[in-house]
Amino acid sequence: MTEVTLITGDGIGPEIAEAARRCIDATKAGIKWNVAEAGIDVMDRLGTPLPDETIESVKRTGIALKAPITTPVGTGFRSINVHLRQIFELYVCLRPCKTYKGVRSKYSDIDLLIVRENTEDLYAGIEYEKGKDDTAELISWLNKHSKRQITSDSGISIKPISVHGTERIVKFAFDYARKNGRKKVTSVHKANIMKFTDGLWLDVSRQVAKNYPDIEFEDRIVDNMCMQLIQKPELYDVIVLPNLYGDILSDLCAGLVGGLGVAPGANIGEKGAIFEATHGSAPRYKGQNKVNPIALILSGVLMLRHMDKMAEADKLENAIAAIIAEGKYVTYDLKDDRNDPTAVGTSEMADAIIAKIKNS
Ligand code: NAD
């Protein structure tokens, strides 16, 4: 048995976590679940939304399946998701975007994998607020050393992109492509304008690509990439991007394949891997056995592949695809009419997937 931490989350989290756990167990993947709490539901009782036992569990197992967690507003607690990312140095954000027959989408035959760098770029959190002393000091230094002059009423965000950070994410994209039978990696940038950050990203991408002659490599400028993804998404395979472009294009691609209900994800690093749906805790549906569990179950498929349990992952993905394609035992959001009375609940959709696995 392999130990995996199951973080049940809050809002709709516990319902979809239970559905995902049952479906994964039906594949006989040999997982021993270590159930751990996090989220606003435990905050009053334990004084923190992210208990030490939960962090310790992930440190021990190295792998977690995580249901969504609400980011409490105005309580002084920072985002648990960001906190976990920092503790476990989760430098990869993986977002597969695939069309499944039966999910409403303008496109068919899309099978993209977005690999987003998670730690650098404008999202590194190095920011200087307008009017502050340190901002004035920075502006004065920049004005002294640059031909361009920055006015004193400016706020400043810094965009660091390093050789190390780029090398490890591009290498991850190529290794993932090789392990999962993918044919091509596209590196996205704006190197024509930002020569010392995106230019570095492109140079390093090209260097790394030389070590993978079996995988095709190409690069695209980010604005062109957006248009290409709308016009001919079927031309792309694995797409590797710096943090900001990755954030935007992940959502663009989720939109191409039918939205949040079917968008799985993973955050992977050297110290651990956390698999989670792209959507949030949808608090207004809490406890209603109503929402779609597919995004978290598909995150479980990604997790099984990460654990080299390829046959179990295929079995689970095929069962999910069959249930969505049949369109009978699906939640309201996958019906043509969202008020369709034949829509089933979260746990009944999981039951149908489990029955499909057992008959496969
Ligand atoms: P959300 O994704 O929770 O909900 C937006 C809407 O999407 C919902 O009203 C619902 O209509 C729909 N939806 C989401 N998941 C669905 C599902 N499984 N099945 C059917 N419909 C679904 O986004 P939000 O309302 O912006 O965020 C709610 C909370 O979740 C916030 O506190 C936010 O910070 C948090 N959040 C957490 C994560 C995470 O844990 N990784 C990710 C995103 C948001």
Side-chain angles (χ1 to χ4, degrees), residues 169-180:
I169 191 77
V170 179
K171 192 169 173 315
F172 180 93
F174 274 102
D175 286 338
Y176 196 94
R178 194 177 263 172
K179 183 175 165 195
N180 291 278

Side-chain angles (χ1 to χ4, degrees), residues 222-247:
V222 63
D223 36 351
N224 179 31
M225 188 74 210
C226 290
M227 189 179 70
Q228 299 258 320
L229 281 170
I230 300 294
Q231 290 190 329
K232 26 192 172 179
E234 67 283 357
L235 293 187
Y236 295 93
D237 190 348
V238 176
I239 304 174
V240 61
L241 314 94
N243 212 337
L244 174 65
Y245 310 144
D247 189 17

